[in-house]
Amino acid sequence: MTAEPRRWTRDNWPIAAAMIQYPNIMGDGRSVQDQSVEEWAETLADVVDAGFTELDPTDSWLRLADLAPVRLESFIELVHSLGLTIPAISTSRRSVIDAEKGDEYLAYSHRVIDTAKTIGAGSVSFGFFEPLTEAQKQALWFWTVDGAKNPGDSDIWNKAVRRIRELGRHAEELGIEVSLEMYEDTYLGTAQSAVRFVEEVGLPNVGINADLGNLIRLHRPMEHWQEMMAKVAPYAKYWHVKNYTRTEDPASGVIVTHPAPLESGIINYRAAIRMALAYGFSSPFLCEHYGGDGLSVCASNRDYLRRILPRDQGHQP
């Protein structure tokens, strides 16, 4: 079973706020998992005040799949009471091939898919990136320090393919799409590798989360964003969007990047989105931004997306 093609315009395209600006552990040591509905409401009020009608809880903030049924129901009632919907659920740093917790994260990922069905979300995002190292946590921008790398081991690659195929088949039965997040030094760390991976998985509901921002922010040589997008556009599904400035000095080899609004960074999202639309892209977007008032920057990015998305449904196949 696969979902029916969605037909959206710039006025109603689901564009969600990410919750990466908000910690999972509060100042008093409590987890967001244990907060009251009223405390959740205080946080979500920020999202509403920023003008969003969609959010992705992002499990770095709240693990919906680990809430007891009554708690999940209370959260969703709150979300709806605030005029919000959840079009997708993203996971972060819970790789199903993690050397220590891969089996645990695989079971968790299945729960994420079931939870998506329960709450009416049509997309889930998984990735192979792992928890930040201590050195990354100490850095101003964590991506300037190398983190964990997926092993160059064909057996682990094949295990990753099998596990994502397993998740993909589960999701397919429920009419949900699976989007695999591009991230450095993982099996989705280049456009070529990401395409190879989803082709080996071989399911129509499993595609690529073309989060090129995760790659162009790196202080290392990088394939041009346009070349990457041309490769992954046919496979694009639920899409995390963010942008960065990038300066390269060929003489010294110095590369410097910095978070930027979508319309101001090095990736031309007007062009990138048109590439994906040409292949029938019809998935939600998630606005992310690191640094400063990330939620407000995301709100501006949402407005930018609404200006450049199609006026009508004529682009759909």
Side-chain angles (χ1 to χ4, degrees):
M1 175 181 176
T2 56
E4 290 295 317
R6 291 158 288 205
R7 297 181 178 274
W8 295 315
T9 70
R10 63 174 56 174
D11 296 321
N12 63 1
W13 207 294
I15 303 174
M19 300 300 289
I20 58 176
Q21 292 83 20
Y22 296 92
N24 175 259
I25 302 299
M26 310 308 295
D28 60 7
R30 289 183 304 137
S31 169
V32 173
Q33 299 291 125
D34 301 321
Q35 283 189 309
S36 67
V37 173
E38 291 74 21
E39 288 171 314
W40 285 336
E42 290 179 10
T43 301
L44 294 185
D46 289 346
V47 176
V48 174
D49 289 344
F52 280 96
T53 52
E54 295 89 20
L55 82 149
D56 178 339
T58 316
D59 67 4
S60 58
W61 177 63
L62 180 65
R63 302 186 311 279
L64 293 190
D66 284 345
L67 290 175
V70 66
R71 293 272 287 164
L72 177 63
E73 183 177 357
S74 295
F75 181 79
I76 297 305
E77 288 178 353
L78 169 64
V79 166
H80 292 165
S81 73
L82 295 173
L84 296 166
T85 62
I86 301 175
I89 303 174
S90 292
T91 66
S92 177
R93 306 189 185 282
R94 290 174 171 83
S95 169
V96 297
I97 56 169
D98 183 281
E100 296 181 3
K101 297 184 176 182
D103 292 348
E104 174 186 334
Y105 291 154
L106 177 62
Y108 169 76
S109 297
H110 278 292
R111 295 200 303 275
V112 168
I113 292 169
D114 287 332
T115 301
K117 179 64 175 179
T118 297
I119 68 174
S123 307
V124 294
S125 177
F126 299 125
F128 296 127
F129 49 110
E130 299 184 10
L132 297 174
T133 66
E134 287 304 314
Q136 287 180 306
K137 292 177 182 178
Q138 297 302 316
L140 175 60
W141 303 119
F142 63 84
W143 56 84
T144 61
V145 178
D146 286 349
K149 296 176 172 59
N150 287 171
D153 182 324
S154 60
D155 288 341
I156 302 299
W157 169 283
N158 292 333
K159 179 180 182 179
V161 170
R162 289 194 305 271
R163 290 193 162 189
I164 294 300
R165 188 182 293 133
E166 175 186 327
L167 292 171
R169 285 173 174 159
H170 179 189
E172 188 175 35
E173 293 174 355
L174 301 180
I176 292 169
E177 70 174 23
V178 172
S179 193
L180 303 176
E181 184 171 353
M182 299 181 74
Y183 198 95
E184 78 267 15
D185 300 324
T186 72
Y187 296 147
L188 306 163
T190 68
Q192 182 176 349
S193 181
V195 169
R196 177 191 163 202
F197 190 90
V198 297
E199 288 185 342
E200 289 196 20
V201 171
L203 296 175
N205 68 315
V206 177
I208 296 172
N209 175 349
D211 192 348
L212 302 185
N214 286 341
L215 303 179
I216 59 95
R217 69 190 179 188
L218 300 176
H219 289 192
R220 64 175 80 162
M222 186 57 52
E223 184 177 16
H224 193 281
W225 72 264
Q226 199 163 10
E227 295 172 358
M228 289 193 284
M229 193 66 215
K231 293 173 184 173
V232 303
Y235 307 88
K237 294 197 183 297
Y238 180 45
W239 192 349
H240 295 182
V241 292
K242 55 181 174 285
N243 215 344
Y244 295 80
T245 59
R246 181 178 173 94
T247 298
E248 301 180 5
D249 179 10
S252 65
V254 171
I255 299 172
V256 177
T257 66
H258 191 278
L262 283 190
E263 60 187 314
S264 305
I266 194 169
I267 300 171
N268 179 347
Y269 272 97
R270 186 186 300 271
I273 289 172
R274 284 177 178 172
M275 286 186 197
L277 291 175
Y279 289 96
F281 175 77
S282 59
S283 299
F285 292 97
L286 175 69
C287 291
E288 296 182 316
H289 185 84
Y290 288 100
D293 184 354
L295 180 61
S296 290
V297 176
C298 285
S300 297
N301 290 343
R302 176 203 63 222
D303 295 344
Y304 164 72
L305 290 174
R306 296 219 182 276
R307 293 198 303 272
I308 66 174
L309 283 165
R311 295 178 183 273
D312 55 42
Q313 301 167 351
H315 71 285
Q316 293 290 356

